[in-house]
């Protein structure tokens, strides 16, 4: 069975064997020492080709037809492990194969696949693309499932809210569940109050599309309990504390946490990992209407803790509070939440390096190792208890928006931590979900962050019983 696709697109790979054109991926040393195909070498030297990182030189045949290509890796290819992603966008349309490359087969093919991504759903004209033959010693099935998970996250984030509001996100969630024969349940509208999800209802009640809580279950009881929670704010106006216009331009991406956990769930289910998987996504639109929640309001959460609303634009942690409390009730071995939560995280680490928070040192170590092994960057920030005082308030148990603006990513994580007490291990990811500019493995736009590293960790923990402690 092929991996799930929200937007169907042709594969970036081919299997045509001898009818493909060769690519010689080279460093400057290859040109200097002459350790490549003689015809390609002669053409490179005549053209003054230096094999600089990301450079492409097409090679003609003696008859003047396209015969192949040289692709530059620069002097240190390990600095850009997915440099072949740029190749996917630079090559002319056609079927290609790598003839030589000082890269591992999996990195080479995965990089090409990641870089091949296009979001042309709204384009009237679609141009053909190059395809690459996956090397025989690469794990083709694993590469394709990782691409499917990443592409799902990118597609969901890139789709504008008029086509990706709460109703449409639920439809995709259902499609993913049906594809992998997972169980699904949905609690919507005023039923959220009846079933004790008051904060999810509070944040989403002003929207024309009802707030809801989506839940997916897959796997076998008795296997490792892994629960994923993703923030699904399909658009964030800021509520009554309305954002300025410039700050609203990217708010279609405020469901990036939901998009990423759905991409991760796809990988887990497609790989048939031995886990008892649960995915919980609270879905809302933070809109403005006569019944919108107000600054100064105090609400009781699912866990019983009361929260004072000191800024309606700090809504993501509210819906996550109810969802995390619900997830925690089943005492999962590993509880992961992902959210486009704070600007403070971006100020601290920039758009490409998502921070994570956990008080489990073994888990933090394993995630860091998985990050390095997959070249999927992430960085641990502290759950510093000294800032607990900042999330307290005079008239309620907690405030959703501490005054002062200091350590915003940490105080948000500490807020969420108050709703997790039974899970054996919990980790919170404060992701950006967006690539502001083109990179070798991404054309820019909606982005999957940390899910390849998380997939690697979860897969390894299913194999190695020692790692189950993390």
């Amino acid at each position: 069975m092929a991996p799930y696709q929200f937007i169907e697109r042709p594969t970036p790979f081919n299997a045509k064997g001898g009818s493909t054109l060769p690519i010689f991926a080279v460093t400057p040393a290859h040109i200097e020492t002459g350790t490549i195909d003689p015809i390609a070498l002669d053409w490179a030297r005549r053209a003054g080709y230096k094999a600089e990182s990301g450079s492409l030189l097409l090679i003609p045949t003696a008859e003047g037809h396209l015969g192949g290509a040289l692709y530059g890796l620069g002097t240190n290819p390990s600095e850009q492990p997915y440099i072949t992603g740029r190749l996917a966008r630079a090559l002319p349309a056609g079927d290609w194969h790598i003839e030589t490359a000082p890269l591992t087969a999996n990195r080479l093919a995965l990089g090409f696949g990641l870089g091949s991504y296009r979001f042309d759903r709204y384009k009237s004209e679609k141009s053909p693309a190059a395809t690459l033959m996956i090397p025989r010693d690469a794990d083709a099935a694993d590469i394709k499932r990782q691409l499917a998970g990443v592409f799902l996250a990118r597609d969901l984030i890139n789709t504008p809210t008029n086509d990706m509001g709460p109703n449409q996100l639920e439809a995709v969630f259902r499609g993913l569940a049906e594809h992998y024969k997972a169980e699904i349940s949905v609690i919507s509208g005023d039923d959220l109050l009846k079933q004790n999800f008051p904060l999810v209802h509070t944040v989403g009640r002003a929207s024309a599309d009802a707030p809801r809580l989506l839940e997916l279950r897959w796997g076998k009881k008795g296997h490792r309990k892994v629960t994923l929670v993703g923030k699904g704010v399909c658009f964030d106006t800021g509520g009554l504390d309305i954002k300025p216009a410039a700050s609203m331009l990217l708010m279609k991406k405020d469901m990036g946490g939901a998009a990423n956990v759905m991409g991760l769930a796809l990988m887990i289910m497609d790989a048939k990992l031995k886990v008892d998987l649960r995915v919980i996504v609270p879905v809302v639109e933070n809109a403005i209407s006569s019944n919108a929640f107000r600054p100064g309001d105090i609400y009781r959460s699912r866990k019983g803790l009361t929260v004072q609303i000191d800024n309606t634009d700090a809504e993501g942690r509210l819906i996550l509070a109810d969802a995390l409390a619900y997830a925690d009730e089943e005492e999962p071995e590993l509880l992961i939440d992902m959210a486009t939560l704070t600007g403070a995280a971006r100020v601290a680490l920039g758009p490409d390096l998502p921070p994570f928070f956990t008080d489990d040192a073994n888990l933090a170590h394993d995630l860091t190792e998985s990050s390095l092994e997959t070249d999927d960057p992430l960085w641990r920030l502290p759950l510093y208890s000294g800032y607990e005082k900042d999330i307290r308030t005079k008239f309620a148990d907690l405030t959703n928006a501490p005054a002062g603006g200091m350590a915003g990513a940490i105080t948000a994580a500490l807020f969420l931590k108050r709703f997790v007490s039974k899970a054996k291990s919990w980790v919170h990811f404060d992701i950006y979900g967006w690539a502001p500019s083109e990179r070798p493995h991404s054309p820019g736009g909606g982005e999957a962050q940390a899910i390849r590293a998380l997939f690697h960790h979860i897969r390894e923990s299913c194999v190695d019983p020692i790692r189950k402690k993390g």
Side-chain angles (χ1 to χ4, degrees):
M1 179 175 67
Y4 173 79
Q5 290 191 85
F6 163 53
I7 296 176
E8 293 189 6
R9 51 172 53 85
T11 177
F13 303 117
N14 66 69
K16 295 189 176 181
S19 62
T20 58
L21 292 171
I23 303 164
F24 302 94
V26 295
T27 66
H30 289 101
I31 305 296
E32 293 168 9
T33 59
T35 52
I36 58 171
D37 177 81
I39 297 175
L41 177 65
D42 179 65
W43 184 255
R45 287 177 170 170
R46 288 174 183 270
Y49 183 67
K50 303 299 184 183
E52 295 172 344
S53 180
S55 61
L56 180 71
L57 178 67
L58 298 179
I59 305 169
T61 64
E63 294 78 24
H65 303 300
L66 180 60
L70 281 162
Y71 185 63
L73 303 177
T75 55
N76 190 0
S78 63
E79 291 180 351
Q80 297 188 79
Y82 297 119
I83 185 65
T84 50
R86 187 173 286 128
L87 182 61
R89 302 190 295 277
L91 283 172
D95 299 319
W96 299 80
H97 72 273
I98 296 284
E99 189 74 24
T100 59
L103 301 168
T104 65
N106 282 337
R107 286 284 196 282
L108 182 156
L110 182 59
F112 185 93
L114 290 169
S116 74
Y117 176 84
R118 297 181 180 186
F119 187 74
D120 55 8
R121 179 180 179 183
Y122 298 94
K123 294 283 190 179
S124 55
E125 295 184 7
K126 298 176 174 62
S127 56
T131 65
L132 184 75
M133 184 168 60
I134 297 179
R136 291 180 183 178
D137 53 343
D139 187 341
D142 188 57
I143 289 166
K144 290 176 181 178
R145 78 170 54 96
Q146 289 192 57
L147 290 180
V150 169
F151 286 9
L152 175 60
R154 290 176 176 177
D155 284 345
L156 292 174
I157 297 169
N158 282 326
T159 302
T161 309
N162 58 304
D163 285 328
M164 194 48 65
N167 292 332
Q168 293 92 339
L169 185 57
E170 178 185 332
V172 180
F173 194 87
R174 288 184 179 277
L176 176 65
E178 291 168 6
H179 187 84
Y180 292 105
K181 297 180 172 56
E183 298 177 7
I184 187 172
S185 61
V186 177
I187 304 169
S188 182
D190 289 342
D191 285 343
L192 290 165
L193 294 175
K194 295 176 184 176
Q195 299 195 42
N196 195 22
F197 295 97
L199 295 181
V200 179
H201 182 273
T202 293
V203 173
R205 69 192 185 198
S207 172
D209 287 348
R212 63 207 70 190
L213 187 94
L214 312 179
E215 183 173 2
L216 175 156
R217 291 178 181 267
W218 176 92
K220 185 177 179 181
K221 299 295 182 184
H223 287 160
R224 188 187 190 206
K225 280 187 180 181
V226 176
T227 300
L228 313 178
V229 176
K231 172 188 168 185
V233 178
C234 291
F235 194 85
D236 181 18
T237 64
L240 293 176
D241 289 313
I242 191 169
K243 294 177 182 288
S247 297
M248 260 191 257
L249 290 175
L250 283 182
M251 282 301 99
K252 68 176 183 179
K253 79 171 183 67
D254 212 20
M255 38 65 71
N260 273 268
V261 300
M262 289 168 67
L264 176 56
L266 182 156
M267 295 181 197
I268 291 170
M269 294 187 290
D270 195 80
K272 298 181 175 63
L273 298 188
K274 292 182 178 181
V275 297
D276 181 0
L277 179 66
R278 190 179 181 207
V279 184
I280 299 169
V281 176
V283 181
V284 299
E285 181 179 357
N286 189 17
I288 299 173
S289 186
S290 60
N291 65 337
F293 70 120
R294 298 165 293 260
D297 285 353
I298 296 176
Y299 297 96
R300 189 171 299 276
S301 67
R302 179 180 183 86
K303 195 173 180 69
L305 295 170
T306 55
V307 183
Q308 178 171 302
I309 308 303
D310 286 320
N311 193 315
T312 62
D313 196 20
E315 83 298 330
R317 68 198 68 187
L318 298 175
I319 66 172
L320 285 173
D322 274 357
L324 283 170
Y326 180 51
D328 190 56
E329 289 164 10
E330 290 195 2
E331 302 181 19
E333 292 181 53
L334 177 59
L335 174 55
I336 300 166
D337 81 76
M338 305 188 82
T340 50
L341 205 60
T342 70
R346 254 49 67 200
V347 171
L349 299 179
D352 299 341
L353 185 59
F356 71 94
F357 300 81
T358 183
D359 52 12
D360 185 332
N362 290 331
L363 175 59
H365 174 270
D366 284 351
L367 290 176
T368 300
E369 289 294 308
S370 292
S371 169
L372 294 172
E373 290 179 35
T374 57
D375 293 297
D376 193 9
L378 49 89
W379 196 264
R380 186 186 186 187
L381 289 183
L383 283 164
Y384 176 57
S385 60
Y387 295 150
E388 286 275 1
K389 65 183 186 304
D390 297 330
I391 62 173
R392 302 184 193 125
T393 189
K394 183 176 180 180
F395 298 112
D397 296 319
L398 300 167
T399 172
N400 79 321
M406 296 286 193
I410 297 175
T411 56
L414 289 170
F415 178 94
L416 297 179
K417 184 184 177 185
R418 294 292 299 273
F419 297 88
V420 179
S421 58
K422 298 178 181 178
K424 293 183 180 178
S425 294
W426 164 69
V427 58
H428 159 61
F429 285 84
D430 191 336
I431 65 172
Y432 190 49
W434 191 264
S437 59
E438 179 180 301
R439 296 166 297 171
H441 60 285
S442 169
E447 188 58 287
Q449 293 186 305
I451 62 174
R452 291 189 298 106
L454 282 166
F455 174 63
H456 180 274
H457 166 70
I458 294 168
R459 180 170 55 185
E460 290 297 300
S461 68
C462 291
V463 174
D464 184 352
I466 294 176
R467 289 202 175 192
K468 289 186 179 181
K469 295 179 181 178

